[in-house]
Structure formats: structure tokens, C-alpha cells
Amino acid sequence: SSGINAEYGGAMSNSPMSVPFGLQVFKDITLHSYWMTRWTKKHARTELEDEMFGRIAEFYQSGELTPTPYKENSFHDFAEALDNAYKVKQLFVVDKTLSDPRSFGE
């Protein structure tokens, strides 16, 4: 019943992370946080960075890590994308926009 929680991203929301003190003491839970930008600057083009990306690739290949579902959109469909933003991640894709007949008034 011990564990480690590595936190990333919570600081970006400016929302404090709430963890009951009892979990840290009686369940031996350890909290760690990191700033990915700092880590990347420190480890860019090193063996450690190569190892990290290799492990991430293994997680994808094994199915332990899966990509977030998303919908590709033309910039012309921004209103629909905004309407659906809370349902699924929305990506605006330049190629989709350029292949859209509305881009050239056709």
C-alpha cells in the first residue's frame, strides 16, 4: 500500500492539488512533480532522452499508452470544432483546410 505519484500539468491550471495528509503518512504515498520544459532543456539530445522516447514507444506498442481520441478539422469548421471541444479533442489541420473547396471560393 505504498506508491509514488508523479504530477505533471497541475501547475499549469493554477489549481492546487489536494492530497489528504493521512495518505502520505499512513499509506506511504510519495508525491513528486516535474517541469517537462526544464527536463527537456537539461536532457536534450542525450542518452536519457533517447531512453525516455524509447520507453514511450514501447508503451504505445504494448497498448499500455494510447493516444487521446481527436477529430481533425478544417479551419473553416472552427465553430463546429468549438461546439464539440468538450466531447473530443479538436485539431485544426492545414492540409485539411487547403484541400477544402471553401479555401479558394469554389
Side-chain angles (χ1 to χ4, degrees):
S1 68
S2 64
I4 296 173
N5 179 20
E7 170 65 21
Y8 170 75
M12 303 306 285
S13 70
N14 287 328
S15 298
M17 187 172 87
S18 177
V19 178
F21 187 67
L23 287 178
Q24 295 177 59
V25 174
F26 302 113
K27 297 291 185 176
D28 195 24
I29 302 294
T30 304
L31 303 174
H32 292 273
S33 59
Y34 67 97
W35 186 17
M36 189 65 189
T37 302
R38 182 185 313 147
W39 190 95
T40 301
K41 286 179 181 178
K42 183 177 179 180
H43 300 289
R45 292 179 277 305
T46 65
E47 286 184 32
L48 193 56
E49 183 185 53
D50 291 342
E51 179 184 336
M52 178 195 66
F53 282 117
R55 291 190 66 194
I56 290 171
E58 289 172 9
F59 289 140
Y60 271 107
Q61 290 170 341
S62 71
E64 292 177 74
L65 187 62
T66 58
T68 302
Y70 65 90
K71 180 178 184 295
E72 292 184 356
N73 298 286
S74 162
F75 285 105
H76 297 289
D77 299 322
F78 72 91
E80 179 184 344
L82 290 176
D83 287 343
N84 293 311
Y86 285 108
K87 297 175 187 166
V88 66
K89 184 175 187 169
Q90 303 291 314
L91 298 179
F92 292 101
V93 181
V94 173
D95 289 350
K96 196 167 186 85
T97 301
L98 293 176
S99 65
D100 189 318
R102 295 174 289 178
S103 294
F104 304 101
E106 296 175 17

